Amino acid sequence: MSQNKEIPYKIYLEENEIPKQWYNVRADMKNKPAPLINPGTHQPMSAQDLSAVFCSDLVAQELDNDTAYIDIPQEIQDFYKMYRPSPLVRAYCLEKKLQTPAKIYYKFEGNNTSGSHKLNSAIAQAYYAKKQGLKGVTTETGAGQWGTALSMACAYLGLDCKVYMVKCSYEQKPFRREVMRTYGAQVTPSPSDTTQIGRKILAENPGTTGSLGCAISEAVEVAVNTEGYRYVLGSVLNQVLLHQSVIGLETKAALEKYGIVPDMIIGCAGGGSNLGGLVSPFMGEKLRGERDYRIIAVEPASCPSLTRGKFVYDFCDTGMVTPLAKMYTLGSGFIPSPNHAGGLRYHGMSPILSQLYHDGLIEAVSVEQTSVFEAAEMFARVEGILPAPESSHAIRVAIDEALKCKETGEEKTIVFGLTGTGYFDLVAYEKYNNGEMDDHIPTDEELAVGFAGIPKFEGNEI
Ligand SMILES: *Cc1c(COP(=O)(O)O)cnc(C)c1O
């Protein structure tokens, strides 16, 4: 389509153009993501089983593979208005720096205090918990963005919020911790002695600095054993991708205002929520055969679940207390090398994205963290925004694709997700600035240790 209107630096939507419904990409998938199953019986988890852990409206969303559009409750729409619509930015300065004929756009989700896209789902999950009359929610947080987003949402709605924070982040990121406490959350370093599973992990491995998988086990244990509490999760689950579709719907609406059709859409992938949300409406068109796009997931070489993982049923946590999800996984015991500073350290990947990848509908690449920080530095210097290390994975590949266009002379249109800002990641930037950052790519032998912990049963061979 011709792009004859001058494209502004920022394409903003009007407030009344914030989506009023989320889009559920599962409705258009021929091969649905596999259901969560009970680790004992291997039967699909029923709504009743799941409602011990999650609040009931979220269980319904988790299990709904058929409804394409789901209304966003008015209260959530009102909350969205405080920081949405988020801008779609034309990266003119980056294009100029790269001297590429490619046209680069990024959807910036860092314009809120949590500094990331995670608030889009935090408010939804807190809303449904409140609606059910619960007292509070429990969760885990790694780098801290999810915990921050959830504390903000809980403070807004008057819900109690208990956050299990991976111990090394708790110690290395005191500022994140204090933001959460300012919003009223109770923050506990994980593993802790407040749970059975935490005490067990500490007994087996006293010096451990924790992992996301271990913090999930603790948060789930507390939720199921505390009256009036449920557990909430910031990524991976179908419901989270549903809420994050607001990113993709806004992106598509903004592009359409100027008749722009992207050739490729790029996003970083930790548990898959921002990428899943960004690409959902585009993937819908692709699945319905209306249009084709290249969709690229970018992951760290040190935690390569899509590019080197196995597509099997696995636990979502280290303590093996959660249901099993069918996903690309490195094994729930996998912990990325300690020198990995760049986020995106979860062992598995969203079952929706896993299925789409398995079906050849998305591509995946892995990148090394020093090259990610090089991209982050260039981006910060020319576009002005200090990007989160996670987001910088997408920047890296957007730059690489734009440089390919420079060689071929192709004027491709690239859209990527800039999921957040990096103000709380300055220890990682410090390492990079001091030249102390290096790359660790796990060997096949190292990965085999994680794979060995994947549950084995008929039909789940690795
Ligand atoms: C959590 C986070 C991610 C990764 O999570 P996904 O679920 O894969 O989106 C990426 N960027 C930022 C800024 C985050 O906070």
Side-chain angles (χ1 to χ4, degrees):
M1 198 179 291
S2 71
Q3 298 181 5
N4 41 20
K5 268 194 261 182
E6 173 121 20
I7 314 286
Y9 272 70
K10 292 197 183 77
I11 307 178
Y12 279 109
L13 297 174
E14 301 293 330
E15 196 169 282
N16 65 11
E17 292 173 299
I18 299 174
K20 295 179 176 56
Q21 295 181 308
W22 293 300
Y23 168 63
N24 180 7
V25 71
R26 285 168 284 167
D28 285 307
M29 288 171 69
K30 233 181 273 140
N31 298 328
K32 308 290 181 192
L36 296 169
I37 62 172
N38 179 305
T41 64
H42 304 155
Q43 292 304 305
M45 297 288 289
S46 67
Q48 202 191 347
D49 298 333
L50 288 171
S51 60
V53 181
F54 302 114
C55 56
S56 48
D57 284 320
L58 292 169
V59 169
Q61 292 180 358
E62 192 61 30
L63 297 175
D64 188 341
N65 282 342
D66 305 305
T67 313
Y69 287 92
I70 294 178
D71 289 341
I72 304 177
Q74 188 60 48
E75 291 86 337
I76 299 176
Q77 289 187 42
D78 291 343
F79 186 86
Y80 280 169
K81 283 178 197 155
M82 293 199 287
Y83 67 101
R84 310 202 66 83
S86 72
L88 181 72
V89 185
R90 173 77 182 266
Y92 281 117
C93 304
L94 181 62
E95 291 170 17
K96 194 166 156 213
K97 170 82 181 168
L98 298 172
Q99 297 191 317
T100 173
K103 300 177 174 66
I104 309 174
Y105 297 84
Y106 57 91
K107 178 71 168 164
F108 181 45
E109 291 290 318
N111 256 339
N112 67 75
T113 294
S114 79
S116 81
H117 66 285
K118 292 204 171 65
L119 200 51
N120 300 329
S121 183
I123 186 59
Q125 297 195 48
Y127 167 81
Y128 290 115
K130 182 77 181 177
K131 181 171 166 233
Q132 192 171 322
L134 298 177
K135 279 198 223 114
V137 290
T138 71
T139 199
E140 75 296 328
T141 199
Q145 289 100 325
W146 168 244
T148 310
L150 188 68
S151 346
M152 289 173 69
C154 287
Y156 180 77
L157 295 167
L159 269 180
D160 185 38
C161 180
K162 295 184 198 299
V163 180
Y164 283 83
M165 184 170 189
V166 178
K167 192 182 275 168
C168 62
S169 302
Y170 184 89
E171 286 159 3
Q172 278 179 13
K173 300 194 170 186
F175 299 141
R176 274 255 179 242
R177 185 181 77 208
E178 292 315 315
V179 179
M180 286 185 258
R181 292 178 62 209
T182 302
Y183 282 96
Q186 183 193 326
V187 188
T188 308
S190 166
S192 75
D193 60 6
T194 65
T195 63
Q196 249 178 7
I197 191 74
R199 288 189 292 273
K200 180 162 172 273
I201 292 170
L202 281 173
E204 285 166 3
N205 197 348
T208 181
T209 54
S211 70
L212 259 188
C214 161
I216 295 176
S217 308
E218 293 203 87
V220 171
E221 183 184 319
V222 172
V224 298
N225 293 314
T226 316
E227 179 70 32
Y229 281 75
R230 291 293 185 283
Y231 167 73
V232 294
L233 180 63
S235 184
V236 185
L237 296 173
N238 299 337
Q239 55 187 272
V240 185
L241 270 72
L242 174 72
H243 307 147
Q244 295 297 356
S245 69
V246 69
I247 305 173
L249 292 163
E250 279 186 10
T251 301
K252 199 153 183 298
L255 290 170
E256 280 169 3
K257 281 201 167 181
Y258 289 88
I260 305 161
V261 179
D263 294 291
M264 64 189 100
I265 304 160
I266 300 168
C268 63
S273 73
N274 87 82
L275 177 68
L278 172 65
V279 307
S280 275
F282 301 96
M283 182 58 78
E285 290 184 306
K286 190 165 160 142
L287 289 163
R288 295 189 300 271
E290 295 162 11
R291 216 169 231 157
D292 201 13
Y293 304 98
R294 276 184 72 196
I295 292 175
I296 308 173
V298 189
E299 59 184 14
S302 55
C303 190
S305 53
L306 283 173
T307 50
R308 294 176 70 198
K310 307 286 183 195
F311 187 44
V312 287
Y313 270 107
D314 193 13
F315 287 97
C316 304
D317 66 320
T318 316
M320 305 188 179
V321 301
T322 62
L324 303 178
K326 188 168 182 192
M327 57 186 176
Y328 278 86
T329 177
L330 298 167
S332 63
F334 178 83
I335 295 182
S337 141
N339 75 355
H340 172 69
L344 309 175
R345 34 175 55 244
Y346 187 62
H347 68 272
M349 184 56 64
S350 136
I352 294 177
L353 287 188
S354 292
Q355 187 65 50
L356 291 168
Y357 179 63
H358 191 68
D359 291 340
L361 292 157
I362 62 180
E363 305 165 34
V365 290
S366 72
V367 289
E368 294 167 22
Q369 66 177 356
T370 46
S371 76
V372 167
F373 278 81
E374 278 163 27
E377 181 191 83
M378 177 195 284
F379 184 82
R381 290 183 186 182
V382 298
E383 287 289 321
I385 297 172
L386 181 74
E390 293 90 342
S391 323
S392 305
H393 288 71
I395 300 175
R396 171 75 270 163
V397 172
I399 290 176
D400 291 345
E401 290 293 334
L403 289 174
K404 282 184 206 160
C405 290
K406 184 175 171 179
E407 271 174 28
T408 60
E410 287 172 294
E411 289 185 27
K412 295 230 164 105
T413 297
I414 300 171
V415 172
F416 73 89
L418 187 69
T419 50
T421 46
Y423 303 118
F424 290 107
D425 299 289
L426 293 169
V427 172
Y429 274 97
E430 180 186 30
K431 262 188 158 178
Y432 173 73
N433 292 331
N434 288 345
E436 290 160 359
M437 181 172 275
D438 53 10
D439 297 313
H440 180 77
I441 303 179
T443 61
D444 288 344
E445 290 70 32
E446 284 169 320
L447 291 185
V449 178
F451 294 146
I454 292 172
K456 286 171 195 67
F457 54 91
E458 206 186 317
N460 204 51
E461 287 79 22
I462 65 168

